[in-house]
Amino acid sequence: MTASFQPASVFDFRGKTAVVTGGGNGIGQGVAQALAVAGAKVAVFDHDAQAAKATCERIEAQGGAAWPYTVDVTQEAQVAVAMQSFHDNCGHIDILINNAGIAIRRPTLELSLADWQKVLDVNLTGVFICARAAARFMVPRESGCIVNTASIMGLSGGGLYPNISYQSTKGAVVNLTRALAVEWACAKVRVNAIAPTWVRTDFIKPLLAQEDLVQRIEAMTPLARLADAKDVVGPILFLCSDAAKMITGHTLPVDGGFLAQ
Ligand code: NAD
């Protein structure tokens, strides 16, 4: 017999707990708020203490439950302490949104090794550190879900401007997602990623200031616009939800058809 699909219960996150890295701004803030509205208890990890606190205050003002943690995702010990503290507070960790990221957009011939390394540390090593720290609680419990934030820049060669360290890390996140999904499937821990197009956040402020560039992006996008943070929040919630119970190792473009061409 086929069990019927219950949309309301599938997107009910009451009783769940979620860690959102980079939750102080942009996409991470949107996801943290949405998870809290859907009933989850949320830990906001951000190296910007004020930003993490502000997101939690917004969530609490909406009646949700959230705790700010000042965490640099590149710092293994900080991540471990914060993950342990949130776990001790709530009893379990169900969801990790591995969202913190940076970009240093520069022609490759002008990119220093230090800047290359900085981007790798946050966008790739940070994703590994946080995934491993969360999975230390998820794997023994045989339950959990991780959503990594890749980018269309991890699934294409880009081309509009040079951004080699960013593109390399986001491509690596796509394959890290596949590999962790396969490794942890036996523990029923699902690992997926999203690959957004350009999203109107502070992250791309310098690009948004270039009107001709924005117009070119719109012209190259079948849905003819850039994304807003809320366009990305829904797909992330879907991947965390029981509606995606049979999906693991997948990277979901949220790109208005950009990669379909
Ligand atoms: P954002 O700059 O608005 O927010 C990023 C957050 O991450 C900030 O709160 C920042 O303080 C935090 N952060 C940065 N480095 C950190 C570190 N080392 N430790 C902890 N926190 C740290 O960016 P956004 O647009 O919301 O981007 C979120 C994710 O989405 C990133 O991984 C980014 O690469 C990805 N993404 C963004 C776009 C876009 O166009 N905005 C497109 C595709 C993918």
Side-chain angles (χ1 to χ4, degrees):
M1 200 171 71
T2 311
S4 64
F5 181 75
Q6 304 286 339
S9 68
V10 156
F11 292 104
D12 183 353
F13 287 81
R14 279 176 296 179
K16 304 266 190 201
T17 64
V19 173
V20 182
T21 75
N25 284 289
I27 298 167
Q29 182 179 74
V31 177
Q33 284 186 268
L35 281 165
V37 167
K41 293 178 179 170
V42 178
V44 176
F45 284 18
D46 206 293
H47 67 165
D48 180 338
Q50 275 310 109
K53 193 164 164 266
T55 296
C56 293
E57 283 169 358
R58 278 173 180 233
I59 288 173
E60 276 159 11
Q62 292 174 315
W67 292 265
Y69 290 89
T70 308
V71 175
D72 181 335
V73 296
T74 69
Q75 300 302 309
E76 190 180 10
Q78 281 181 27
V79 171
V81 167
M83 206 67 83
Q84 183 75 52
S85 159
F86 185 55
H87 176 268
D88 293 349
N89 185 15
C90 297
H92 49 95
I93 295 176
D94 299 302
I95 295 164
L96 167 67
I97 311 297
N98 235 336
N99 163 82
I102 60 167
I104 300 178
R105 306 174 187 99
R106 205 159 289 161
T108 302
L109 296 183
E110 294 164 24
L111 186 73
S112 70
L113 186 56
D115 282 346
W116 161 269
Q117 193 60 52
K118 212 168 161 182
V119 177
L120 257 71
D121 285 347
V122 179
N123 293 8
L124 181 57
T125 308
V127 166
F128 160 71
I129 288 173
C130 293
R132 191 185 54 173
R136 283 184 172 142
F137 298 104
M138 293 173 174
V139 168
R141 224 176 134 234
E142 298 203 337
S143 172
C145 163
I146 298 173
V147 179
N148 299 319
T149 308
S151 163
I152 57 168
M153 291 301 153
L155 293 167
S156 71
L160 285 175
Y161 46 85
N163 202 5
I164 189 69
S165 50
Y166 186 78
Q167 289 171 293
S168 303
T169 56
K170 294 302 184 179
V173 166
V174 170
N175 221 34
L176 173 147
T177 298
R178 292 189 186 109
L180 290 184
V182 171
E183 185 177 340
W184 292 336
C186 58
K188 298 184 180 59
V189 174
R190 295 187 299 108
V191 187
N192 290 294
I194 50 147
T197 182
W198 288 267
V199 186
R200 292 182 181 276
T201 68
D202 286 352
F203 192 74
I204 60 162
K205 219 175 183 175
L207 306 180
L208 293 173
Q210 300 172 47
E211 224 169 273
D212 55 329
L213 178 64
V214 172
Q215 282 168 5
R216 282 179 71 197
I217 294 169
E218 288 167 349
M220 290 168 75
T221 305
L223 287 182
R225 67 174 177 89
L226 283 67
D228 293 315
K230 67 174 185 296
D231 293 316
V232 186
V233 168
I236 294 176
L237 253 67
F238 160 69
L239 288 173
C240 296
S241 76
D242 282 352
K245 239 180 170 172
M246 194 56 183
I247 300 177
T248 197
H250 184 67
T251 294
L252 175 62
V254 184
D255 68 345
F258 188 91
L259 294 171
Q261 301 169 94

